[in-house]
Amino acid sequence: MRHYRSTDKRIRTLLDWPSMLMTFTVCLLCWSTGYIYSIGFPLTVGSAVVSFWEVLCKLLNHRIVLYVTGLLLLALTAFIMQRISDIEMLIRERTRLPFILFILLMSTNAGLLPFREVSVVILCLVFVVYELFNSYQLPEATGKMFNAGVLIGTAGLFMPQVLWFVPLLWIGMYQFRSLSFRSFMASLVGLLIIYWFVLAWCVWKHDFSMFKSLYSSLADFDLFSIATSFQYYQISFIGVVLLLMAALFHIKMNAFNNSVRVRQMHSFLLNMSVWSLIFIFLYGNFADSFFAILYLSGSVSIAYFFESMRNRFRFILYYLALVLCAVSFIMQVWNF
């Protein structure tokens, strides 16, 4: 009996019902508070360069519809990222922690509730990650790279700044040994074909404001404004960065425990997180959008860090992060 009890303690995870109950309670309270205070409603045109976003703003003009749509899209993105983690075995133990962490981080950032342009962007990016991971050591996987280019091009119509992630895609192709002249050209053609359609539309309408908006958005740097004007929401941001640093150190120190494939995939996700951090400082006025991309890649890395810990400290650290996210959200609403 004593041996059974010690084993039970040893296999406890962060997915035990008390932790999950607290996490989902915090998320539910955040969405309920956002709904009561009408955070993010009504939708505004923002930085999107396509008229389709304006159509969405008109269609989602009811608060309930907007919040339900945002919640479903968030759950779908989290589910796909979770599936990628499971299929590629990015975490040695089967866990739903990436799904939970992504939902938590997104729900406690009031600037992302309930539905933004970046909601569509991160859905496109999670499919880019899926296509890239499936191209591991497949230089002839031109179809997958074409799809990735189309997805980034589509995301760029809603948030032009995401086009700076194209070089990251090529770096990932090099990491996964899927970079060849044909795969490179396939990704480039997939990206450009989207803007050929946009150009054709502009020529037909005799209105090139879309391309002007695209260029102005890419050149709209707001260097280091987020560092010079410390805001309340950055409390949770600092916590996420510290957890990512701990995850980076842990992954690098324990790389020998994983296969080369898993190491390369973790490396790409960490690179994606660093890429997001860079553009948070370069585009301070779009910080919330890059936070969402940071949450997407960082949730897997942080989940790996938590699941690799085999002591009670991980519970303390998780609950501390949970409280930090909740307090950060309260401060955002308080200043809303």
Side-chain angles (χ1 to χ4, degrees):
M1 181 64 67
R2 291 180 181 176
H3 177 72
Y4 172 78
R5 287 180 179 175
S6 63
T7 303
D8 182 64
K9 291 181 180 180
R10 182 167 52 84
I11 64 174
R12 284 189 62 197
T13 69
L14 288 172
L15 295 182
D16 290 344
W17 72 265
S19 303
M20 291 302 95
L21 179 62
M22 292 177 60
T23 303
F24 281 117
T25 299
V26 169
C27 294
L28 182 60
L29 288 175
C30 289
W31 279 83
S32 301
T33 304
Y35 179 82
I36 294 171
Y37 284 90
S38 297
I39 296 176
F41 180 82
L43 289 178
T44 56
V45 175
S47 62
V49 301
V50 289
S51 55
F52 178 67
W53 179 251
E54 298 180 19
V55 176
L56 279 178
C57 292
K58 294 177 181 178
L59 289 176
L60 302 175
N61 60 353
H62 194 282
R63 191 166 45 162
I64 294 179
V65 175
L66 179 63
Y67 268 79
V68 170
T69 302
L71 185 58
L72 291 176
L73 196 62
L74 173 62
L76 176 61
T77 305
F79 173 77
I80 296 171
M81 197 67 219
Q82 177 65 57
R83 287 293 298 164
I84 293 173
S85 177
D86 290 342
I87 293 172
E88 303 297 343
M89 294 184 291
L90 298 180
I91 302 176
R92 287 192 294 270
E93 294 186 2
R94 200 166 182 84
T95 176
R96 295 291 176 266
L97 198 53
F99 178 91
I100 301 300
L101 284 174
F102 181 68
I103 294 289
L104 173 64
L105 293 173
M106 291 288 290
S107 299
T108 52
N109 189 329
L112 299 173
L113 293 179
F115 184 83
R116 293 287 191 272
E117 295 99 321
V118 74
S119 302
V120 181
V121 170
I122 57 176
L123 182 62
C124 292
L125 288 181
V126 76
F127 280 113
V128 170
V129 173
Y130 176 79
E131 294 287 1
L132 180 62
F133 283 10
N134 280 341
S135 70
Y136 184 77
Q137 292 188 344
L138 294 174
E140 69 279 2
T142 54
K144 297 183 182 299
M145 294 303 100
F146 176 82
N147 294 340
V150 169
L151 288 165
I152 294 181
T154 303
L157 297 179
F158 292 89
M159 180 182 160
Q161 295 82 2
V162 81
L163 293 176
W164 294 114
F165 280 73
V166 175
L168 180 65
L169 171 66
W170 294 333
I171 293 173
M173 292 164 60
Y174 175 78
Q175 283 183 294
F176 299 152
R177 300 177 185 175
S178 59
L179 180 63
S180 65
F181 178 76
R182 292 182 61 187
S183 61
F184 173 80
M185 291 304 299
S187 64
L188 196 58
V189 170
L191 176 69
L192 293 177
I193 198 171
I194 297 296
Y195 296 96
W196 275 111
F197 284 123
V198 174
L199 178 61
W201 176 264
C202 292
V203 171
W204 185 54
K205 287 287 188 178
H206 301 286
D207 180 10
F208 291 88
S209 59
M210 285 189 184
F211 272 97
K212 291 180 181 177
S213 177
L214 175 66
Y215 174 78
S216 61
S217 297
L218 286 173
D220 187 20
F221 291 105
D222 191 12
L223 300 176
F224 304 107
S225 65
I226 191 174
T228 57
S229 57
F230 189 85
Q231 300 293 330
Y232 38 84
Y233 62 77
Q234 292 174 315
I235 296 175
S236 61
F237 166 64
I238 292 175
V240 172
V241 171
L242 291 176
L243 285 174
L244 277 173
M245 291 175 62
L248 170 62
F249 178 78
H250 180 80
I251 290 172
K252 295 299 182 183
M253 292 297 295
N254 296 273
F256 59 88
N257 291 325
N258 298 316
S259 65
V260 175
R261 180 189 180 103
V262 172
R263 288 203 299 267
Q264 293 292 349
M265 291 179 179
H266 274 298
S267 176
F268 175 79
L269 292 175
L270 289 171
N271 289 342
M272 188 173 176
S273 299
V274 172
W275 215 263
S276 302
L277 284 171
I278 292 173
F279 287 103
I280 284 172
F281 288 95
L282 293 181
Y283 291 102
N285 48 344
F286 290 95
D288 283 331
S289 298
F290 285 106
F291 283 151
I293 301 175
L294 176 67
Y295 299 156
L296 180 66
S297 56
S299 58
V300 177
S301 301
I302 296 173
Y304 178 86
F305 170 66
F306 275 128
E307 288 297 337
S308 298
M309 299 173 68
R310 285 291 176 263
N311 50 55
R312 294 182 179 179
F313 180 69
R314 64 173 173 170
F315 291 92
I316 298 174
L317 192 60
Y318 180 81
Y319 293 142
L320 180 62
L322 185 62
V323 171
L324 193 63
C325 288
V327 170
S328 176
F329 181 82
I330 293 171
M331 295 180 69
Q332 292 176 70
V333 175
W334 188 271
N335 290 271
F336 181 71

